Amino acid sequence: MSGHGTPIPMTSRRCGPLAGTAQVPGDKSISHRSLILGAMCVGTTRITGLLEGDDVLDTARAMRAFGARVTDHGDGAWSVEGVGVGGFAEPDRVIDCGNSGTGVRLIMGAMATAPITATFTGDASLNARPMGRVTDPLALFGARATGRAGGRLPLTIEGARDPLPVQYTVPVPSAQVKSAVLLAALGAPGETIVIEREPTRDHTERMLAGFGAEIEVEDTDEGRIITLQGQPELQPQDIAVPRDPSSAAFPVCAALIVPGSDVLVPGIGLNPTRAGLFTTLREMGADLTYENEREEGGEPVADLRARHSPDMTGIRVPPERAASMIDEYPVLSVVAAFARGTTDMPGVKELRVKESDRIDAMAQGLRACGVAVEDGPDWWRVEGTGAVPGGATVESRLDHRIAMAFMVLGMASETPVTVDDGRPITTSFPIFETLMGDLGAQLERGAPA
Ligand code: S3P
């Protein structure tokens, strides 16, 4: 999502019951990692169910620029012929990661211990986000970064010629930072140790083990200690990407607030480092069940069934749960507006540095729609009354999750809700409009007539 061109407003109006089956696309986190790890082994990695959203397509293009052969076989099937750990070629152009913090941060890590130089940029949202959190630990390996003030993109990384292994405690709860360090560690000889005080999504660790790296994870009182041996020969894999719980959140939450709804969302990854929203919704009294629980590709998976839940109540979301649902707070705040009572969301400072300042974006938009919201530097609070007036045009701020959250709000509010630009949705959920429309949502391009 470049942010260039003409904005496309999108309007959601109150609809009848949502019903049917929602086949949401592949997991964004796992899709990025499949392409990047595929590029870091010699041989062919085959991927099915890849998310073909703009963020992941930007990562596919980047892997080609670093020398991997990435092929789209149609219908979510892709292959990557990798160049091996340390084998990245120097790109002959600027790497544009579009809107994707995950893409740029993981790729910076993957190239930081190769003897090459690369320059990275993105759209207005990505170029405003902090990158020092990644370039600081990459400097410990011997990589040098030169960027704009505050470590912002565009920035250039000169990879370490003689990389050293590191020991690093991640100072913010961020899977992207942890993963950048682990990917850099692949190119450094010896043992790198990464410590995270609060567990974040662990797809990189699981996938590195799957690709044959020597990696150990230990849960201790100080946090999670990850030990990775550098310079492995990664083995190409066949990867079936599970469907994305962060995308499933939208049809699930819509079904909970639209009267009469009953929606099945099959095959959703329920890795405990990702499933915090569903636990929270159940605590609020949501009629949300897990059916057919199983394991696929090393990840726990289930079919989610969500039914209209008129008696939900507000709760305090435990701050230690934040990392496991960090992308789901925008849509949770929508559900909270339809529940009764206060939903407190403490310990969420990271929401301020996502694709947008998500606390501010949601607080302002919800207030414009008649919902009482309070917020502070690392917390916010929504007062639910069981009904939402709606009737506003809100800014999506180059943020897909803000745009989709307000489209869900409009499905149950008294008057329609419009976002000023729905284009960011294609970064993570390119079929959102048709999928929600097939369930019975009334979404249309443009402002309300
Ligand atoms: C992601 C990690 C999270 C999340 C993002 C995807 C990942 O970001 O918000 O959408 O795939 O590692 P942080 O690591 O910055 O919390």
Side-chain angles (χ1 to χ4, degrees), residues 274-322:
R274 295 288 299 282
L277 171 75
F278 306 125
T279 307
T280 302
L281 292 171
R282 289 178 3 156
E283 286 174 5
M284 293 171 80
D287 184 350
L288 171 63
T289 50
Y290 299 165
E291 298 177 359
N292 194 14
E293 289 184 58
R294 56 205 187 268
E295 187 157 309
E296 280 176 14
E299 296 274 351
V301 163
D303 304 336
L304 306 184
R305 169 155 243 133
R307 296 185 180 89
H308 177 228
S309 304
D311 299 320
M312 289 185 287
T313 49
I315 62 161
R316 178 178 186 271
V317 184
E320 61 276 12
R321 192 180 290 161

Side-chain angles (χ1 to χ4, degrees), residues 15 20 25 52 65 77 88 165-166 171 174 222 232 256 258 285 336 360 375 393 406-407 445:
C15 56
E52 293 173 343
F88 274 13
V166 310
S174 169
E222 281 96 79
L256 299 179
V258 174
D360 192 61
D375 70 293
T393 296
F406 281 112
M407 291 296 90
R445 301 275 175 110

Side-chain angles (χ1 to χ4, degrees), residues 25-206:
D27 188 278
K28 181 155 72 71
S29 295
I30 296 175
S31 294
H32 282 295
R33 286 159 174 80
S34 300
L35 293 168
I36 296 169
L37 287 170
M40 296 180 89
C41 26
V42 175
T44 304
T45 286
R46 292 189 175 77
I47 308 164
T48 53
L50 189 85
L51 167 64
E52 293 173 343
D54 292 342
D55 278 9
V56 176
L57 298 178
D58 282 328
T59 290
R61 268 189 288 276
M63 290 303 98
R64 288 189 187 115
F66 283 103
R69 181 187 285 228
V70 181
T71 311
D72 174 3
H73 300 280
D75 217 13
W78 288 65
S79 62
V80 185
E81 282 173 51
V83 290
V85 167
F88 274 13
E90 188 162 272
D92 62 3
R93 73 204 74 149
V94 172
I95 304 297
D96 188 343
C97 288
N99 191 249
S100 181
T102 310
V104 79
R105 291 184 174 128
L106 268 56
I107 296 167
M108 290 195 293
M111 62 72 60
T113 47
I116 56 170
T117 296
T119 300
F120 296 89
T121 193
D123 69 4
S125 153
L126 189 58
N127 288 3
R129 296 179 68 185
M131 294 297 147
R133 52 174 58 196
V134 171
T135 54
D136 288 352
L138 297 184
L140 304 175
F141 289 96
R144 293 210 312 213
T146 315
R148 286 164 59 232
R152 302 291 199 266
L153 299 176
L155 68 74
T156 297
I157 295 192
E158 201 183 311
R161 266 154 220 280
D162 295 304
L164 302 165
V166 310
Q167 173 156 348
Y168 189 68
T169 302
V170 186
V172 283
S174 169
Q176 294 176 358
V177 175
K178 169 181 67 177
S179 301
V181 176
L182 290 172
L183 293 173
L186 291 173
E191 194 173 88
T192 286
I193 297 172
V194 184
I195 300 163
E196 57 174 3
R197 294 201 192 91
E198 301 165 55
T200 63
R201 67 191 68 193
D202 62 356
H203 306 301
T204 305
E205 296 91 304
R206 287 176 188 241

